[in-house]
Amino acid sequence: MYQDNKHIILIVILGLLIHKYCCIEQTYQHKEAKQARFHVAEFNFDHVADVYSITLWILLGSLAKVGFHLSHRLTEKFPESCLLIILGLIVGGLLYGTHLAEQKAYVLDSNTFFLFLLPPIIFEAGYFMPNRPFFDNLGTILLLAIVNTLFNTICIGLTLWGFQFTPIYGGTKFEMLPCLVFAALISAVDPVAVLATFTEIHVNDMLYIVVFGESLLNDAVSVVLYRMFDSFAKIGQDNLIVMDIVLGFLSFFVVALGGVLLGIVFGVIGCFTTKFTEHTPVLEPLIILVYAYLSYLTSEMLSVSGILALTFCGMVMKQYIPFNISKKSDATTEYVIKMLSSIMETIIFMFMGLSTVSDNHSWNTGFVLMTLFLCLLYRVIGVIIFANIANCWRLLELTRIDMLIMSYGGLRGAIAFALALVLDETKIERKKEFVTATIAVVFFTVFLQGITIGPLVKLLNVRRKQVEEPTMSAKLTSRMMDHVMTCLEEISGSGGNNSLRDKCRNLDRNYFKRFLLREKPEQTVDIKLLKEFKSINVRSAMRVHDTSKGLIPNSSSTAMQQLPSENAFRPERRARHFSDIATPNSPQRTVPDLMLFESQGTDHQRDDAKMHRFLDSNLPHARRRATMHLRNQDELAGVEDELNSRFEKLSHHRDLRYVPIRLTREQMHAISTISKPSANSNQSPTLTATPSIHDYSETELTPNQNSRTKSNDSDIVLTPNNLRDKSSTAAERVRPWRRSASSDDIELTSQALPKSTSKNRNDPNLHPRDLTTADVSNSYRKSSEHMSEDAAATNPKENSSRLKASDLLDKQSKNSSNQPKNQANTVA
Amino acid sequence: EFLTRENLLCISEVNINPLGKRLIDVIMEDYGENNKIDFQQFIFLLAKFRRAKFKSSVTEFNTRNSKLRFLFDMYDRNHDMKIDRNELLEVLKMMIGGNVHDDQIEMIADHTINELDKDGDKSITFEEFCKTLDRIDADDKMSMKFLS
């Protein structure tokens, strides 16, 4: 570990030196009047100077973060923000020492800060805001954000002004309005600092959301107060009339409500736009980010609260967008948001350290100490008063320890600093003192409170966030409690949180979801339970896969094979095997092929594996070719099972392998009808193939057949094994000479085929629905586009194979289409 | 003066609520008699959910145990002190709704039983049930504010 430390320190120092060198280079003049000759390569720094330094800066920040996290000891003791500020201080010291600090790029520019650095952080906060705790505690949060901030501002401002009549300040005079301006910017809790600190200490959700929500929502108040007092200072204290004050009061409502409204409007527009982006999934993350950023810029333009707009935009988007966009876009969006927010936070803290080292200060001991003391004092008083008021209506009371953490978590940060830098020195004479005091308070809170809050939380035994895995039973019980309490509240007439939330949810489902979502909102009452179950399954499957030592089936799988092969499915056995295999303390159990679980039948697993290996060795090119279809696969994703898609979008798989393959209903029906029948068709699908993405390449095969099926399907089979039938034909299409190989497997498959019917009813993703001709024709039209891509590759053999399949299908549809249904029924 | 089942069903939210009918069953059978509930019994029902804000307001009725007991009774309609697979299935069906296949719901039920069942009898006793709720704030979630 020490070696790692050394390496990282070396890297950091190297980065610093490079940075310095480049800055020095910037001032180098290339002005020699030589004879112009052709230069093979030139050194042209001016060309890229600005961008280069920004990029280097970002790189430095990221490397520093990487370095910090390599050292576990450091990250235990210090929050990241402290270390970044120290780094900024070091770099600032270096630059100052070499007299380069005059360069504008190296001081925190408020414009840059508010336009570029702040929005990603706020958007991330809004997008990932845990909705339930937020709205449960909304009353408390609003009370604290609005009234507490107001209280703090007035008290701090007046007290600071009052103390100027005492000798503490050493004689400098502070007028009232500038004091109030200063108080307005210093009393607001900073969301960036809170985020940076609280995410590392993992307190329970409620406490976190109260402090964090307060820090977000107090922007409305602090913006209003700051602007109000700033304009008052510009008007001049003597010229004020009552009207100004009244207007200032009214502007609060405009700013707050305007911000919220703008955020919601942009969020809704964004959601609505994603309704139509089925064919251009690549644009989806961009659209989301652009709309969010627009909401921020628009509200800044209209001088309403940009932070509120961005927060609510994120919250609205989170509700609807993940259901609309493709899974990849969803994962990408989340990751991009997180990445941007993280890097901006890093830059902000480094810049704060950097800007400290400059000439813009004026240290007034009395003022600084007074400010510090008053900030802490009034924070504690404010929290005590308002938390007790909130406790009157709260169901879950805020204990004294909660109040202590809340007041301790009132960190000031970069926003205050940026606002201080923007002060107009001509109107507010004491700007330098203010800046110094702000920096002092910010440093104190970030360093002292940031470092000590972790041990404090541990010492006081504050309830921590629960990071254990959610269990189905817990989720089930909590949903049940919600329903029961809602009902009881209705009966008893006391409208509590539950009934309100239920009403909102109903409203949401009936109006908003219908308008904003691509697919009709489901009729099920409690989709969350299913979601939970699905995610639990996926998680244990992933865990099984990750803790495996290999993918070779061994004795454990044979043990499973020896289960008497029943027609009816035994869910408990399956569940038991999940938990058995998922236990980490059985390392000698190598994991069998996870298709085992997907197929939910154990008897042909051996055949599966054999075929798997066989086809693997024979299909190298099929894969390469199939990647052409990757783009189409997303586009086809629109027409599919509702339930399936909802699951897939909500449970983010890391590996596409485990995605139950999406196909249209008709295709699935076609597959099921193909796979069930006699084994004597040449088209006979071998039961497995490489479980990779080129399964999708089969979509162009089936619509031809689908257009002829008019039967209503009852149970749709979505077993991936059946689907893999199709990919073998892909192999055949690519290498028609392989066809002979498949005939060998017919015997194997024929014995496996009867079992396939048992799989019908057992798939978790079953979704019985009726085919409509519209859907069929729809998919036909779509896939015909894709077919044209492959038109060049088709050869007569494939055409014939296609025909055969359609013949087969006709035959099938002529037979009672109820036959699969009956089979399935008897089986179950 | 009695409240009948039909009276309660008149409340529209109760109708919409997935567990509404089950709740009315519980109310009528456990607290009332002959499908009617009178005021006295109604009070006993609601007393369970009174908010235990101060230590003094915790009586024998609104202890944490009694609230959990209420939940347990929502499942256990044959009063054998165990939730077996069928009872769990019924409640799940009510909550999840109609569009989901039966087998899916069965799987969820079995998974849940597996998680909770410690003695392997495929049913959940009250103690096992309470273990789940250790983590959840049952006490605070299941309180109502009335007559403050």
Side-chain angles (χ1 to χ4, degrees), chain A residues 365-573:
Chain A
T365 322
F367 187 67
V368 170
L369 287 177
M370 202 68 224
T371 315
L372 203 55
F373 174 65
L374 286 179
C375 278
L376 291 172
L377 178 70
Y378 282 120
R379 171 87 189 153
V380 174
I381 296 179
V383 164
I384 292 181
I385 296 180
F386 294 110
N388 277 319
I389 295 180
N391 274 342
C392 295
W393 71 70
R394 281 179 67 90
L395 219 46
L396 184 57
E397 306 232 324
L398 293 166
T399 65
R400 259 184 245 163
I401 293 185
D402 287 337
M403 288 191 227
L404 178 64
I405 300 289
M406 277 162 61
S407 43
Y408 212 73
L411 308 172
R412 281 32 173 203
I415 296 185
F417 185 44
L419 285 175
L421 283 178
V422 180
L423 287 175
D424 185 356
E425 192 144 15
T426 54
K427 297 292 175 195
I428 301 179
E429 300 144 359
R430 299 285 165 240
K431 173 177 169 176
K432 289 208 173 108
E433 278 89 351
F434 289 160
V435 169
T436 316
T438 312
I439 291 192
V441 172
V442 169
F443 273 32
F444 181 83
T445 54
V446 170
F447 278 94
L448 214 73
Q449 288 179 253
I451 294 179
T452 53
I453 199 171
L456 189 68
V457 160
K458 285 200 193 87
L459 188 71
L460 292 178
N461 229 353
V462 176
R463 261 195 359 209
R464 311 297 290 272
K465 188 146 89 145
Q466 307 185 316
V467 274
E468 67 247 326
E469 277 192 22
T471 62
M472 199 62 211
S473 45
K475 185 81 180 173
L476 178 62
T477 321
S478 81
R479 297 295 297 151
M480 218 183 121
M481 272 199 280
D482 285 342
H483 286 307
V484 167
M485 288 318 291
T486 312
C487 215
L488 275 175
E489 279 175 7
E490 284 299 326
I491 293 181
S492 70
S494 74
N497 253 346
N498 284 311
S499 47
L500 189 62
R501 185 180 56 237
D502 216 49
K503 285 200 179 76
C504 284
R505 198 174 289 154
N506 278 335
L507 184 75
D508 180 40
R509 188 183 327 146
N510 289 331
Y511 297 108
F512 283 109
K513 282 210 166 116
R514 231 168 247 164
F515 181 61
L516 290 177
L517 290 186
R518 269 187 209 168
E519 304 141 355
K520 229 164 62 88
E522 71 286 351
Q523 299 305 316
T524 65
V525 187
D526 210 338
I527 198 70
K528 283 196 181 152
L529 274 180
L530 280 174
K531 195 170 75 177
E532 190 67 32
F533 183 62
K534 180 81 183 177
S535 65
I536 289 179
N537 265 352
V538 166
R539 241 195 306 266
S540 37
M542 292 303 297
R543 222 175 350 162
V544 161
H545 188 250
D546 287 342
T547 61
S548 74
K549 281 195 171 164
L551 284 175
I552 306 170
N554 74 342
S555 58
S556 62
S557 62
T558 51
M560 277 192 280
Q561 283 170 10
Q562 274 145 25
L563 290 178
S565 54
E566 307 110 0
N567 289 334
F569 175 62
R570 291 286 162 117
E572 53 260 31
R573 208 157 276 145

Side-chain angles (χ1 to χ4, degrees), chain B residues 22-108:
Chain B
R22 178 53 77 99
L23 185 64
I24 296 181
D25 286 341
V26 172
I27 294 178
M28 286 303 156
E29 289 167 32
D30 292 351
Y31 295 89
E33 38 208 25
N34 299 332
N35 267 344
K36 293 191 284 204
I37 182 170
D38 71 358
F39 187 60
Q40 198 70 354
Q41 295 155 332
F42 192 67
I43 291 181
F44 277 122
L45 164 71
L46 288 184
K48 283 210 167 172
F49 298 101
R50 190 157 150 240
R51 203 165 124 214
K53 181 164 176 168
F54 309 107
K55 285 271 178 3
S56 58
S57 57
V58 176
T59 64
E60 64 184 68
F61 292 111
N62 60 350
T63 59
R64 187 167 186 269
N65 230 5
S66 58
K67 291 181 187 171
L68 295 179
R69 187 85 224 177
F70 186 82
L71 267 189
F72 193 76
D73 286 337
M74 290 267 299
Y75 285 104
D76 183 29
R77 295 276 71 225
N78 53 8
H79 300 283
D80 59 354
M81 295 308 147
K82 282 194 188 164
I83 305 178
D84 62 8
R85 187 167 177 260
N86 289 330
E87 292 169 342
L88 191 61
L89 264 180
E90 279 173 27
V91 174
L92 269 176
K93 281 211 186 99
M94 278 192 278
M95 279 181 41
I96 296 187
N99 250 1
V100 177
H101 209 273
D102 280 347
D103 276 331
Q104 167 79 91
I105 304 187
E106 278 176 27
M107 264 202 282
I108 298 182

Side-chain angles (χ1 to χ4, degrees), chain A residues 290-346:
Chain A
V290 161
Y291 271 113
Y293 197 42
L294 265 182
S295 75
Y296 181 77
L297 292 177
T298 315
S299 40
E300 284 291 311
M301 177 177 80
L302 297 174
S303 72
V304 295
S305 164
I307 291 185
L308 279 185
L310 210 45
T311 310
F312 279 92
C313 184
M315 290 204 288
V316 165
M317 281 183 169
K318 182 62 186 250
Q319 287 299 104
Y320 303 107
I321 281 193
F323 297 106
N324 271 351
I325 63 182
S326 74
K327 209 157 38 66
K328 274 192 202 152
S329 305
D330 197 14
T332 309
T333 315
E334 290 194 2
Y335 226 72
V336 166
I337 294 176
K338 283 202 164 117
M339 178 192 82
L340 282 177
S341 134
S342 163
I343 194 59
M344 295 306 176
E345 200 179 297
T346 314

